[in-house]
Amino acid sequence: MGVSWSRKRDGSCFSGLICQKPISSEEIYKIAEESVCPVLFEVGGKIISNGSSFVYKQCMSSNGSKLYFLTNLHVIQMIHNLVGILKSQDDKHDYRVYVKFKNKDYDIDTVFVPPADIYKAFLLYYGSNPNLARFDFSVFVIEADDVQPVKFFGIKHDSNIVTGSKIWALGYPQGLELAISDGIISHVYNNTHNNLLNEGENYYGFIQHNILINPGNSGGPTVNEYGEVVGISTLTRTDSIGINFSLNIDFIMNIMPTDFLKEFNIQSYISNNI
């Protein structure tokens, strides 16, 4: 018997798939093949960096679909390195930032990021300040010529994420093909006092787990056994073994409806800085 799915519809917009019973890793991978996509940075026809992203909403019309993606802010942050590379080139326009969806490339022109004060602080201190890492997310939208509902993971909209439960992470590690890895939730950080050895470390808004987050995996979904997104694969502590973090999707969804994210035009930024 096949897996029974349901999904909510609000006018022309669809949310992700919801399953009432646990599903297999094979079923999870099938959904990911359609909706977990690589974000690519290219200069002179050569890919210089990649990350992962995933569809979380689809709005349809007679002409096609608007697909809404979530990824990490530090994936998009690669545009700052891109500026440095372009400054040293004769052709300063030979670059692309795009997502590959269903084997077709879609340019990413605009992303939605945290406000300027947080964004600037993030660029300066991310990696040494986990207090900023909880804002490590961004959104972009593409217009695809697909007029059929896309299979993508539903969002877990409550904070009932249980320590010890099974999870999977999906993404494109080191620029390789879509990969799936499994593990368990080690801890859910729901308070502001998290490190007994270093009071400055605050992992509020994160889920700790034992799935290694390799470069390229960042921005991909972390899902539970019902195929619900519980987090965005974000970081690994390099001074330890088996301490990895996904940004809690519940934290993100509580912020996004408040117009927290601001528009950021990639082309304008690059043009103004090279």
Side-chain angles (χ1 to χ4, degrees):
M1 182 179 295
V3 176
S4 178
W5 297 98
S6 63
R7 70 194 316 170
K8 293 181 180 180
R9 181 171 183 171
D10 182 8
S12 62
C13 296
F14 290 87
S15 60
L17 299 171
I18 299 172
C19 189
Q20 300 302 317
K21 296 181 179 180
I23 59 175
S24 67
S25 56
E26 290 85 359
E27 290 292 339
I28 289 173
Y29 189 82
K30 286 179 182 177
I31 299 170
E33 284 184 305
E34 191 162 335
S35 57
V36 179
C37 304
V39 176
L40 302 163
F41 295 79
E42 185 178 293
V43 176
K46 181 180 179 180
I47 295 172
I48 61 169
S49 181
N50 82 288
S52 300
S53 65
F54 60 96
V55 179
Y56 74 94
K57 184 170 76 171
Q58 178 185 19
C59 295
M60 299 174 60
S61 69
S62 58
N63 298 321
S65 299
K66 278 190 176 181
L67 296 170
Y68 294 74
F69 288 79
L70 270 164
T71 187
N72 281 133
L73 177 57
H74 78 256
V75 170
I76 300 301
Q77 184 187 352
M78 183 61 195
I79 61 172
H80 297 278
N81 295 348
L82 195 60
V83 166
I85 294 170
L86 290 172
K87 281 182 177 180
S88 65
Q89 290 198 165
D90 293 331
D91 185 354
K92 301 188 186 306
H93 301 284
D94 190 12
Y95 71 90
R96 292 186 68 200
V97 181
Y98 61 99
V99 62
K100 189 176 288 293
F101 172 71
K102 290 191 173 181
N103 294 316
K104 186 175 179 180
D105 298 344
Y106 293 88
D107 290 336
I108 302 172
D109 299 315
T110 300
V111 292
F112 297 87
V113 301
D117 54 341
I118 294 176
Y119 183 58
K120 290 177 181 177
F122 181 91
L123 296 178
L124 290 172
Y125 300 113
Y126 178 67
S128 60
N129 188 344
N131 300 324
L132 292 170
R134 73 178 68 104
F135 300 109
D136 189 359
F137 66 95
S138 57
V139 170
F140 64 88
V141 183
I142 65 169
E143 295 192 15
D145 51 9
D146 198 318
V147 294
Q148 298 300 317
V150 174
K151 289 183 179 179
F152 57 96
F153 299 114
I155 298 291
K156 188 168 180 58
H157 281 288
D158 61 67
S159 58
N160 187 26
I161 299 172
V162 181
T163 297
S165 58
K166 185 86 170 178
I167 53 170
W168 288 261
L170 300 115
Y172 294 83
Q174 300 286 10
L176 297 171
E177 295 297 321
L178 177 66
I180 182 171
S181 301
D182 66 340
I184 61 169
I185 294 176
S186 305
H187 190 82
V188 180
Y189 289 93
N190 288 323
N191 58 61
T192 57
H193 302 287
N194 307 137
N195 192 328
L196 298 177
L197 298 178
N198 185 354
E199 292 184 359
E201 286 192 1
N202 175 4
Y203 287 99
Y204 169 67
F206 275 93
I207 299 166
Q208 182 184 326
H209 54 77
N210 62 345
I211 306 174
L212 181 62
I213 306 299
N214 288 297
N217 275 121
S218 293
T222 307
V223 303
N224 64 15
E225 61 184 346
Y226 295 93
E228 298 172 304
V229 177
V230 298
I232 301 178
S233 301
T234 302
L235 60 92
T236 289
R237 282 195 61 147
T238 57
D239 60 351
S240 306
I241 298 175
I243 301 181
N244 313 284
F245 296 91
S246 290
L247 189 55
N248 192 327
I249 199 69
D250 189 51
F251 174 82
I252 296 171
M253 289 299 150
N254 284 335
I255 290 177
M256 281 174 54
T258 64
D259 295 327
F260 176 76
L261 298 179
K262 306 302 179 183
E263 186 173 327
F264 182 93
N265 186 279
I266 291 175
Q267 185 174 0
S268 295
Y269 176 83
I270 292 177
S271 297
N272 291 332
N273 286 277
I274 57 175

